[in-house]
Amino acid sequence: MTKSPLLALAIAAAASLVQLGCAVLPEDAAEEPVDADEQAAIMGNGLTFNALTFNGLTFNALTFNALTFNGLTLNGSAMAALSDPLGRQKLSAIVACALPRGEAIRLNVDGVDHAFEGSVGLAPEWGKPGGACGESCKSWVSACVISRVNYLGQSVRISVRGKDRALTSTREEREGYTKREGAYFGDIFATPQKHYACVAPGASQIPRVCGPSIRDCSAIEVLGACDDVCGHELSDGAFDRCRDRSGKMQTGAVTVFLAP
């Protein structure tokens, strides 16, 4: 089994199963492949609410003091979390957001080999020996993972943008994905987890994430219009300086654009 601080904290983040009654993807549903010449921030998404809020163990079961590269051991609770397809689904989203394309975490769970592939690269240092995920890392990875939630658990291609160089968009990406949906941010590493969204100007719903109505977003709290929630707009249309329910400004915020 790969021993890495990213794996340990990601499993801890993948911490209590909250039954929300949403659709669940088939076990280990694969993301759509992305051509090598496409921007890494264009990705498939099919993370369900149940996987987003999945908690197979608590931080106390896998303490930060044990999260050293050479000293990581996974107890029965941690392995049980990865035995559940929801745990693997969430870990897959975390690794995809944190690591760049070409890097992966490979695990054998219950005798079956699994590869959790990197894609966006918001926290590449986290997967290195001795690497750690500080507050900025947690904020960006959280925003990216939350943005991948899909109400029906279906894979839909999205363009994710934000004030991080890993989310820099190409002209082709901006021209192909012009429908601004909203912004996402929060903290999936907190107890309890915090999942926030705001809707793009002129919109009142985010059906990809919430279904027919934002009132259905039981796992994500929609705070209102992004013009009101976020204090700045980047040149590519992404929102920045977004504030959570308490008014705290979030380091990481990911804005999603869809194809028209």
Side-chain angles (χ1 to χ4, degrees):
M1 171 172 292
T2 299
K3 297 180 179 179
S4 106
L6 185 152
L7 171 61
L9 189 52
I11 292 174
S16 86
L17 182 57
V18 179
Q19 297 296 336
L20 297 174
C22 298
V24 178
L25 284 178
E27 185 169 329
D28 298 331
E31 299 289 357
E32 296 180 25
V34 179
D35 295 336
D37 60 348
E38 284 193 289
Q39 172 68 23
I42 297 177
M43 59 186 182
N45 67 98
L47 186 67
T48 60
F49 282 141
N50 282 347
L52 174 66
T53 57
F54 178 83
N55 288 308
L57 58 129
T58 65
F59 281 114
N60 289 334
L62 196 64
T63 64
F64 284 100
N65 289 337
L67 303 187
T68 59
F69 184 72
N70 293 320
L72 172 63
T73 59
L74 298 181
N75 59 23
S77 297
M79 291 310 300
L82 290 181
S83 294
D84 192 305
L86 290 177
R88 296 195 298 275
Q89 192 184 134
K90 184 170 182 178
L91 178 58
S92 178
I94 291 172
V95 174
C97 288
L99 296 187
R101 187 177 304 160
E103 295 188 17
I105 288 179
R106 304 182 189 280
L107 300 173
N108 185 284
V109 180
D110 298 333
V112 178
D113 291 329
H114 298 273
F116 300 92
E117 305 282 348
S119 176
V120 182
L122 286 166
E125 72 286 352
W126 192 13
K128 300 184 183 302
C133 187
E135 291 307 310
S136 178
C137 164
K138 292 178 185 177
S139 184
W140 280 109
V141 172
S142 294
C144 177
V145 170
I146 295 167
S147 77
R148 294 168 65 99
V149 169
N150 185 287
Y151 176 73
L152 297 177
Q154 297 173 342
S155 186
V156 176
R157 301 299 290 279
I158 61 176
S159 168
V160 291
R161 305 175 200 170
K163 196 177 181 179
D164 186 282
R165 61 182 181 181
L167 300 177
T168 301
S169 59
T170 63
R171 185 184 67 181
E172 290 76 17
E173 179 181 344
R174 293 190 297 273
E175 292 176 349
Y177 296 79
T178 58
K179 184 179 178 181
R180 186 164 54 173
E181 178 184 73
Y184 303 89
F185 46 96
D187 189 352
I188 65 171
F189 303 96
T191 303
Q193 297 179 29
K194 300 175 182 179
H195 314 131
Y196 300 110
C198 61
V199 296
S204 60
Q205 308 292 340
I206 43 177
R208 176 186 67 89
V209 172
C210 294
S213 169
I214 58 176
R215 291 191 298 272
D216 294 327
C217 273
S218 51
I220 295 180
E221 184 177 1
V222 181
L223 299 178
C226 293
D227 280 349
D228 298 325
V229 174
C230 306
H232 185 241
E233 185 176 332
L234 304 177
S235 61
D236 64 358
F239 291 101
D240 187 28
R241 303 175 190 168
C242 302
R243 296 184 180 275
D244 64 17
R245 166 66 65 184
S246 69
K248 180 182 178 181
M249 186 178 297
Q250 301 295 295
T251 301
V254 165
T255 303
V256 168
F257 290 76
L258 305 172

